Amino acid sequence: MLRILSGSENSELEPILEQFAEENGVRLEMSYQGSLDIMRELEQESVPYDAVWPASSLWLNAGDSSLNVKHAESISITPVAFGIWQSLAEQLGFVGREVTVSDLLEPIRSGQLRFCMTSASQSNSGASAYIGFLYTLLGNPEVITMEDLQREDLRAQMTELLSGVDRSSGSSDWLKDMFLEGDFDAMVNYECLIIQANQELEAQGREPLTVVYPADGLTLADSPLAYVDQGDDQKEELFLSLQEYLLSQEVQSQIQRTGRRSSYTGVNPENRDVFREDWGLQPDRVLSPIHMPSSQVLFEALNLYQTALKKPSLNVYCLDYSGSMSGDGNRQLEAAMEQLLIQSYAAENFLQASEQEVNILIPFAGSVLGVYTAQGNGSQLEELYSTLEELSPGGGTDMYQAAAQGVEELKQYDLSQYTPAIILLTDGQSGGSFNQLAEAYGELGSQVPIFSIMFGDADESQLENLAEFSNARVFDGREDLVGAFRSVKGYN
C-alpha cells in the first residue's frame, strides 16, 4: 500500500490512480489536505505518509527540513487564473486581449468585480495568486525581498485588491463548488477547476465563465509527486512505478483531459477540445511563470496577508456547552479555541487575527448562555479565551437559537467590510426551531456561511442541512477537534 498526502485538486484524478492500483494489485490510500498542512507534515520528525503531492514545489521546498523527500517530479501544470462570468468579462473589456493586474484592480476599486479565492495562508491557489499580485504591484522585480514587503504603497494597493474578495475558502476544489452555488462575479482558481466549473455550467444550461490570465503576474501549480523516504525499498519501488505510470504518454493525455497541462508550451492536439477558446482558454499559450520567493520571504508575506492586508474576518463561534460536553469534550474544545484565540499559537498556522478582526463567542446549551465580543488582535482575544475557560457544560442542546443569535449579532456590522462566518460546534441532536434561524437569516440580506463542526453524537443530517442552506460545509471534529477548528478558520 502507498499512503499519499495530496492537495484536494487531485481528487479528480482518482479514477486514473485506481486504474494503476487494479493493474498492479496494490492499494493507494489518498488523504487530502491544504498546502500549508502538507508543508507542516513535512516539518515533522515522522511523516505518516509514503508520498506527498502538493499543488506546488513551493511547499516541498519550504517544508522538507529533514531532507527525506526525493524523486520529486511534476505530474501536471495548471495556471492560476480568474474565471469571470462571460457577460461581465465582455462588459469589462477583458475578452480577446491580455489583461494585467492593474486592469483587474480598476473594476475591483469601483465595486464592479467581487470575487472568491482561497485563503493565501492556507491554500496554494490563493497563495499563488497573492504572490503574483505582489510581483505585479512591485513592478515585476527579479525577486521579492523583505524590504519590498514593507513598502506602504504596496500594502495600500494590495489591501484595495483583496477588498474585492467576497468569500474565502481553505480548499480550491470546494471553492469551485461554493462558487457554483453562490452569487459571485468571479473566482480565482486553477485553470483546470475553471474548466470543470464550465463543464458543469454547460450541462446545466447556464452562462459559462471566461478565463482571464493575469498577464503580468502569472503563477503556476506544478503538482510535484514526491517520495517520503523511510527506508522501505519495496515502497520506493512501488512509488517509482506509480510515478512512471503517471508520466507515461498515454496517462499524461488522460490527465490533460481533466484540464491540466503537461508542458509549458501547449496541449496535445487530441485534447484541444477541452481547452475551449470560446471560454477564453489559450491552449497555445507559452507559460512563463514568475520566480517564487524564498521561504523566509514567503512566510513574511503570508503573515502580512493574514494580519494586515486581507479583508478582516468576522467570526461568530456558537459553541455547545450542553451536559454531554462535560469532561473530555470540553477539554478538547478549550484546546481547539486556544489554538485560534491565543495569538502565539495561531501564528504557527498563519491563523492569527488582524487589528480589524471581530470574534464573537456565543456559548449555548438549551438556550444561549451569553454573547462575548473581542475586537482586534490584542488582549481582548485572551480575555475571550479566559471567559471560555470559566464556562461549565450542563443542560440540553439548541444550536438553532444560538445560530439565530449569531445572525442578530452580524446585523450590527457592515458585512461588506468583512468576510463573515458563523462557526457552530455541537455534539448532539438539536432541539429548537430551524425556522427561527431561517427567519433571522432571511432578514440579514447576505449569504453568510454557517460552518459546522460535528462532534460526539451530533446529527449529521441537521448539520448538512445548515451547510446546504447557507452554502457552507461540515467539518468532522470527532477524531481531531483541534484540526477541525484550524481547518474551518482557514475558510475565513
Side-chain angles (χ1 to χ4, degrees):
M1 180 178 74
L2 269 183
R3 295 160 300 175
I4 303 172
L5 179 59
S6 169
S8 63
E9 65 283 345
N10 288 325
S11 60
E12 201 196 8
L13 301 182
E14 283 195 12
I16 293 172
L17 296 169
E18 287 166 7
Q19 186 180 331
F20 171 85
E22 288 174 12
E23 289 175 0
N24 292 272
V26 297
R27 185 175 159 214
L28 300 178
E29 185 179 284
M30 299 291 289
S31 299
Y32 297 102
Q33 291 187 17
S35 295
L36 181 73
D37 287 329
I38 294 175
M39 180 191 75
R40 292 292 188 224
E41 285 285 356
L42 292 175
E43 290 176 337
Q44 305 305 311
E45 288 184 15
S46 176
V47 180
Y49 300 96
D50 304 307
V52 289
W53 198 355
S56 170
S57 298
L58 181 69
W59 307 103
L60 283 185
N61 300 334
D64 184 24
S65 55
S66 60
L67 302 177
N68 62 344
V69 171
K70 63 182 186 180
H71 304 311
E73 293 283 353
S74 173
I75 302 301
S76 65
I77 301 162
T78 190
V80 177
F82 277 74
I84 305 174
W85 292 113
Q86 190 175 72
S87 55
L88 179 59
E90 290 171 353
Q91 180 186 327
L92 296 174
F94 289 168
V95 176
R97 71 176 182 90
E98 291 284 72
V99 177
T100 66
V101 171
S102 293
D103 292 331
L104 290 159
L105 188 53
E106 285 307 310
I108 290 169
R109 277 196 187 110
S110 64
Q112 292 176 278
L113 182 62
R114 319 297 293 177
F115 61 96
C116 312
M117 76 177 223
T118 62
S119 167
S121 64
Q122 304 301 315
S123 173
N124 181 70
S125 63
S128 296
Y130 170 60
I131 291 165
F133 298 156
L134 286 174
Y135 266 98
T136 302
L137 296 176
L138 286 167
N140 292 102
E142 183 65 27
V143 67
I144 298 178
T145 66
M146 297 290 272
E147 290 73 26
D148 288 331
L149 297 178
Q150 304 308 313
R151 284 175 45 175
E152 289 301 322
D153 58 336
L154 172 70
R155 294 188 177 203
Q157 286 183 296
M158 184 59 74
T159 302
E160 274 189 318
L161 201 160
L162 294 176
S163 72
V165 177
D166 261 354
R167 279 281 297 272
S168 185
S169 164
S171 158
S172 305
D173 197 45
W174 189 78
L175 181 81
K176 183 257 297 179
D177 296 337
M178 180 199 75
F179 176 84
L180 292 174
E181 294 296 324
D183 180 20
F184 310 102
D185 297 333
M187 68 171 168
V188 175
N189 214 327
Y190 299 123
E191 179 186 58
C192 62
L193 291 179
I194 299 174
I195 290 172
Q196 283 181 38
N198 270 354
Q199 290 168 343
E200 293 180 40
L201 289 166
E202 186 171 67
Q204 296 167 15
R206 296 169 63 189
E207 177 185 355
L209 304 172
T210 293
V211 178
V212 175
Y213 305 90
D216 51 353
L218 189 67
T219 52
L220 304 177
D222 63 343
S223 190
L225 176 62
Y227 180 64
V228 180
D229 189 1
Q230 302 189 65
D232 187 327
D233 292 342
Q234 284 187 318
K235 284 271 175 80
E236 186 170 4
E237 187 177 336
L238 177 58
F239 169 84
L240 291 171
S241 177
L242 170 63
Q243 196 176 64
E244 182 180 6
Y245 163 82
L246 291 171
L247 292 172
S248 67
Q249 187 172 345
E250 179 185 348
V251 175
Q252 282 286 293
S253 183
Q254 289 180 46
I255 291 173
Q256 264 191 24
R257 296 297 301 172
T258 70
R260 294 158 172 82
R261 300 174 185 242
S262 54
S263 80
Y264 292 88
T265 55
V267 301
N268 299 351
E270 70 268 20
N271 295 321
R272 288 182 69 91
D273 61 310
V274 175
F275 295 81
R276 287 173 48 174
E277 295 183 58
D278 60 319
W279 289 347
L281 291 148
Q282 299 176 7
D284 298 320
R285 188 184 187 102
V286 176
L287 302 176
S288 301
I290 62 174
H291 295 292
M292 285 297 179
S294 68
S295 295
Q296 182 186 21
V297 172
L298 169 67
F299 295 156
E300 180 60 27
L302 295 181
N303 275 321
L304 189 61
Y305 165 86
Q306 188 68 24
T307 60
L309 302 180
K310 79 179 186 78
K311 191 185 289 186
S313 299
L314 172 47
N315 307 302
V316 180
Y317 292 99
C318 299
L319 304 181
D320 192 340
Y321 274 81
S322 61
S324 55
M325 285 293 291
S326 296
D328 188 53
N330 189 49
R331 283 191 292 272
Q332 288 187 53
L333 173 58
E334 289 182 1
M337 292 303 292
E338 183 180 44
Q339 294 293 311
L340 304 183
L341 298 179
I342 304 302
Q343 293 303 281
S344 57
Y345 293 127
E348 292 175 8
N349 293 290
F350 299 109
L351 292 174
Q352 60 269 53
S354 69
E355 289 182 8
Q356 291 78 37
E357 183 166 309
V358 178
N359 285 280
I360 301 171
L361 171 64
I362 302 179
F364 68 92
S367 60
V368 169
L369 303 178
V371 178
Y372 309 92
T373 301
Q375 304 270 350
N377 56 5
S379 60
Q380 286 190 23
L381 277 175
E382 296 200 8
E383 291 169 12
L384 200 63
Y385 179 67
S386 297
T387 298
L388 185 148
E389 284 186 300
E390 291 167 5
L391 294 167
S392 298
T397 306
D398 186 352
M399 68 179 183
Y400 297 120
Q401 186 185 138
Q405 182 63 50
V407 171
E408 293 299 326
E409 296 302 317
L410 290 176
K411 291 177 182 177
Q412 301 175 34
Y413 296 88
D414 177 359
L415 298 184
S416 69
Q417 301 304 306
Y418 299 90
T419 51
I422 294 174
I423 299 167
L424 172 73
L425 165 84
T426 186
D427 79 332
Q429 185 166 13
S430 181
S433 169
F434 172 78
N435 291 336
Q436 175 191 7
L437 168 61
E439 185 177 338
Y441 193 91
E443 295 168 357
L444 188 60
S446 179
Q447 191 177 56
V448 173
I450 303 175
F451 295 113
S452 54
I453 298 174
M454 182 166 50
F455 192 63
D457 296 321
D459 185 330
E460 188 171 358
S461 64
Q462 287 185 326
L463 300 183
E464 289 290 355
N465 286 339
L466 276 181
E468 185 176 350
F469 172 72
S470 65
N471 198 8
R473 65 171 293 184
V474 178
F475 295 81
D476 191 344
R478 290 173 295 189
E479 291 189 8
D480 180 8
L481 189 59
V482 174
F485 267 94
R486 277 208 315 260
S487 294
V488 73
K489 181 64 169 69
Y491 276 63
N492 203 38

